Amino acid sequence: MHPCTSEFPLSTDVCGALHAYIYIRLSPACHSEILERFEASSSRWSDYSGEAEQYLRLPLYIRNPEYSDIETQVNKLIEDLKCESIDVQRVATSELRFLAKNAENRVVIANCGAVSPLISMLHSTDLKIQENAVTALLNLSINDDIKVAIANANVIEPLIHVLEIGNADAKENSAATLFNLSVIKEVMVKIGCSGAIKPLVELLRNGSPRGKKDAIRALLNLSLFHENKARIVQAGAVKPLVELMDAAKGMVDKAVAILANLATLREAQLAIGHEGGIPVLVEVIELGSAREKEYAAAVLLRLCTSSKRFYRQVLKEGAVPPLAALSQSGTPRAKEKAQSLLCYFRNGRRE
């Protein structure tokens, strides 16, 4: 019998299930044997997996008496990241990913110097290591000080690499990390210049619902910088943004906000009209939230004042009644945009 399994009599009670789960996580050398014995002897594992997960949310130094403090554990995991063994790296990134869920642990992990080794793992050929590393960085980037440290550690290109070739979860978490970092103005500029927009638009187009939400949040921040607007349009973002102005998808607010940012460009105006955006925008004016109506009115005003064809199409879609209502009851900016549109329509009829 393997020595590490003899210390650990398997049982079907909660304690046995918890200890099995913890030992499996922390002892990769004997995973197979422990799993085989445990699965053979404990048909009740699923009954306790929820309790095991709750237990695992405790700080690691409590769960693992081998280490007296979290800093010792983190330093050991950082050393493991430098190991040539894929299995060891996979376990180390998994542990750091888990530890970084805790706010206090994030500070310890960053102070121990884990940021750069984790970034280097983003180029791993093992997709699970990539996923673990990018998720650890995502968790760390919640802390504002650590966010700056990550941004200054040449992370953009590795994140784009994961966004392009990672598994689904890794792509989503890469997009979410880019969103977190993009609140820093200098980083927002760098992200746009580094080629992130195209894979973000691809995730917006073909990702899971969660992936689309991560991508659209990142693109919303990036669209605030003028030089990024043309890149977003040229990457083909307008069509999926129009499609996401569907209340059932829960992203109308961000989709219409991005279109409002992009609509200052003639190229974007043409794309919105070409991709069927006008009837959808009129519907948002009628049924959207106060903020969504404001953004939609801003886009329609841009379209109508730039093209007689768009002007006629907006009228044809029945925009006047909801715009009249908005001019009386919307936000101050929405009222202003609605009144400008209605005035434009009246003047247009006189010509």
Side-chain angles (χ1 to χ4, degrees), residues 96-344:
L96 287 167
R97 168 184 181 170
F98 180 82
L99 285 169
K101 292 181 178 181
N102 177 281
E104 293 178 0
N105 290 350
R106 289 175 198 135
V107 177
V108 176
I109 292 168
N111 288 343
C112 287
V115 168
S116 290
L118 281 169
I119 291 173
S120 70
M121 293 292 100
L122 299 182
H123 281 289
S124 172
T125 56
D126 183 272
L127 295 184
K128 192 62 181 178
I129 290 174
Q130 270 191 0
E131 177 194 331
N132 289 337
V134 75
T135 308
L137 289 166
L138 170 60
N139 292 335
L140 291 172
S141 70
I142 295 169
N143 178 294
D144 287 338
D145 293 330
I146 301 173
K147 181 183 304 178
V148 173
I150 293 171
N152 291 334
N154 298 317
V155 73
I156 305 303
E157 186 278 328
L159 285 173
I160 295 171
H161 175 71
V162 174
L163 195 57
E164 290 174 335
I165 64 96
N167 64 30
D169 286 343
K171 288 181 178 181
E172 291 165 5
N173 291 339
S174 178
T177 306
L178 287 169
F179 164 71
N180 282 353
L181 299 179
S182 68
V183 301
I184 306 169
K185 184 176 180 180
E186 297 77 10
V187 180
M188 181 201 305
V189 175
K190 189 181 295 185
I191 291 171
C193 294
S194 300
I197 288 173
K198 187 175 180 179
L200 282 170
V201 171
E202 180 62 25
L203 186 61
L204 184 71
R205 187 184 293 113
N206 296 317
S208 67
R210 180 189 150 200
K212 290 174 191 275
K213 287 181 179 179
D214 290 326
I216 203 170
R217 291 195 308 160
L219 288 168
L220 177 56
N221 272 7
L222 294 176
S223 70
L224 296 172
F225 182 60
H226 181 74
E227 280 72 9
N228 286 335
K229 294 179 183 181
R231 297 182 184 115
I232 293 171
V233 176
Q234 290 160 12
V238 170
K239 182 177 181 179
L241 288 170
V242 169
E243 292 171 349
L244 289 171
M245 284 195 298
D246 176 347
K249 296 179 181 177
M251 288 176 264
V252 177
D253 57 341
K254 294 177 179 61
V256 72
I258 295 173
L259 290 177
N261 290 338
L262 300 180
T264 58
L265 302 182
R266 177 63 177 163
E267 185 179 4
Q269 296 163 7
L270 293 173
I272 292 167
H274 178 73
E275 299 297 348
I278 288 175
V280 183
L281 287 163
V282 172
E283 184 176 351
V284 173
I285 293 281
E286 187 173 5
L287 302 174
S289 69
R291 189 65 64 188
E292 291 163 4
K293 291 178 179 181
E294 177 185 310
Y295 287 131
V299 178
L300 289 177
L301 182 59
R302 291 277 185 185
L303 295 179
C304 287
T305 55
S306 70
S307 164
K308 285 292 185 183
R309 177 167 62 89
F310 293 154
Y311 158 81
R312 289 191 292 269
Q313 188 176 351
V314 171
L315 283 176
K316 184 179 177 182
E317 292 295 335
V320 170
L323 282 170
L326 185 62
S327 70
Q328 299 300 314
S329 62
T331 66
R333 185 167 180 264
K335 288 180 181 180
E336 176 193 336
K337 300 298 181 184
Q339 289 164 4
S340 295
L341 271 165
L342 292 169
C343 181
Y344 191 77

Side-chain angles (χ1 to χ4, degrees), residues 3-59:
C4 66
T5 58
S6 61
E7 302 172 4
F8 163 73
L10 294 170
S11 68
T12 57
D13 61 13
V14 176
C15 186
L18 292 172
H19 285 125
Y21 194 88
I22 296 163
Y23 208 95
I24 289 167
R25 285 177 63 89
L26 298 182
S27 303
C30 53
H31 281 183
S32 299
E33 185 172 347
I34 293 176
L35 279 168
E36 184 178 344
R37 294 185 62 228
F38 187 78
E39 289 171 355
S41 63
S42 179
S43 61
R44 295 171 61 197
W45 167 247
S46 61
D47 297 341
Y48 304 114
S49 59
E51 295 174 57
E53 179 63 27
Q54 290 178 11
Y55 186 84
L56 285 166
R57 292 183 185 278
L58 294 172

